Amino acid sequence: MLKHLLLTGAAGGVGQAIRPLLKTMAATVGAADIVPVGALRPHVTYQACELADRDAVSRLIEGVDGILHLGGISVEQPFDAILQANILGTYNLFEGARHHGRPRIIFASSNHVVGFYRRDERVDASAPPRPDSLYGVSKVFGESLASLYFDKFGQECLSLRIGSCFPQPKNPRMLATWLAVEDLADLCACAFSVPRLGHTIIYGMSDNDEVWWDNRAAAFLGWKPQRSSSRWRDEILAATNEDPADPAVIYQGGGFAGSGHPED
Ligand SMILES: NC(=O)c1ccc[n+]([C@@H]2O[C@H](COP(=O)([O-])OP(=O)(O)OC[C@H]3O[C@@H](n4cnc5c(N)ncnc54)[C@H](O)[C@@H]3O)[C@@H](O)[C@H]2O)c1
């Protein structure tokens, strides 16, 4: 069990959903965000922090022995916003970790790192990135930083290419990409407790029927997702009429692959 876990992005969708599940993983949790995180359990403290502020991020990491880095821009946005939160912010986080005893990091990367692979292709962690957005490019940056910081400084990290972590799948794409938050929490527990993590890349999906991603290279983590999108399958397919020629349907990244430049 961790002594003190830093959770960035604690006010976000995933941050709110996973907070109650961290109790068995860490004695205390520092819940950081630029906005208030809401009601707190006794073992959780709120820390206001702008990820682009290097000194503030460094202070967050003092006394921490594990980091779940969810904070940042989570959709396609103009480049300057992504630059501050995802590129500078992630750099600040890794630098803070390097200077404060190298606590293990779980970095919330994204399936949008490989969003321009087609849905009829199968990709593993060794596939070259094919980002579908500026947002996806920022996650490629984060994974590259994680690779550098492990090879050069021994900073261990799980680059977790989250599929779709929501209470339930909402469309046919999410039948393949859905990740139940309980499965995410189990994966975090595996990543924090495995004897050697190195820099590992894994796709974050539950035990869904339709599978685009191959996690065999990360089998040593011992993670076995227990939930599946299958119970929503019939309902979702009955309510959907997709155009197979639409780029948002052809590519794994969905609407991110189909959208234009965010500043046009
Ligand atoms: N939810 C998913 O399905 C999904 C899929 C792929 C990747 N991810 C990644 O997982 C993480 C969490 O996703 P989410 O759905 O909870 O996103 P979210 O947008 O709901 O939450 C992100 C949080 O980060 C905070 N944040 C943004 N910019 C910040 C800054 N400059 N400084 C400090 N905090 C800042 C926001 O206030 C917000 O609370 C994100 O990094 C996202 O890119 C999520």
Side-chain angles (χ1 to χ4, degrees):
M1 189 169 183
L2 298 171
K3 292 195 187 79
H4 187 59
L5 171 72
L6 170 62
L7 172 68
T8 70
V14 179
Q16 297 273 9
I18 203 167
R19 268 161 48 199
L21 307 177
L22 299 175
K23 205 169 172 16
T24 53
M25 219 178 297
T28 57
V29 175
D33 207 298
I34 33 173
V35 298
V37 300
L40 296 174
R41 290 166 186 238
H43 68 294
V44 183
T45 50
Y46 170 59
Q47 293 167 291
C49 182
E50 161 58 63
L51 288 166
D53 180 339
R54 189 161 307 154
D55 292 339
V57 172
S58 182
R59 283 193 297 276
L60 271 187
I61 299 174
E62 281 171 31
V64 155
D65 57 355
I67 301 174
L68 177 51
H69 180 44
L70 301 177
I73 304 284
S74 60
V75 290
E76 184 67 320
Q77 286 214 359
F79 184 69
D80 287 343
I82 287 178
L83 178 63
Q84 293 301 311
N86 291 16
I87 295 185
L88 187 53
T90 303
Y91 177 73
N92 291 343
L93 188 101
F94 275 82
E95 264 301 90
R98 185 171 76 86
H99 283 110
H100 291 293
R102 301 194 300 267
R104 233 171 233 191
I105 298 171
I106 298 176
F107 166 56
S109 183
S110 171
N111 69 90
H112 295 289
V113 160
V114 292
F116 259 123
Y117 284 93
R118 297 169 58 102
R119 293 190 191 181
D120 54 12
E121 293 176 285
R122 298 292 168 265
V123 291
D124 64 14
S126 66
R130 293 185 75 176
D132 57 22
S133 49
L134 298 172
Y135 162 74
V137 170
S138 77
K139 297 296 189 182
V140 175
F141 170 83
E143 291 189 4
S144 294
L145 196 67
S147 175
L148 171 70
Y149 270 54
F150 175 65
D151 288 339
K152 192 161 274 193
F153 308 119
Q155 169 68 55
E156 292 192 301
C157 177
L158 181 70
S159 285
L160 166 56
R161 294 179 177 171
I162 299 175
S164 304
C165 188
F166 300 102
Q168 64 183 70
K170 302 175 198 161
N171 53 44
R173 176 177 176 271
M174 289 193 197
L175 292 173
T177 63
W178 186 63
L179 172 64
V181 73
E182 294 85 358
D183 286 331
L184 170 60
D186 289 348
L187 174 57
C188 293
C190 291
F192 284 130
S193 60
V194 73
R196 184 186 180 280
L197 181 63
H199 175 228
T200 299
I201 295 174
I202 193 166
Y203 292 89
M205 71 222 169
S206 284
D207 185 23
N208 303 326
D209 291 345
E210 188 178 347
V211 180
W212 302 339
W213 306 319
D214 179 345
N215 273 336
R216 277 177 295 181
F220 73 95
L221 289 173
W223 179 50
K224 302 254 183 293
Q226 303 294 320
R227 284 84 187 166
S228 168
S229 63
S230 59
R231 57 183 277 221
W232 291 282
R233 183 171 197 87
D234 292 346
E235 178 191 328
I236 286 175
L237 294 181
T240 320
N241 184 18
E242 290 189 325
D243 173 4
D246 183 349
V249 175
I250 294 172
Y251 297 108
Q252 295 187 4
F256 284 57
S259 66
H261 194 286
E263 286 157 55
D264 285 349

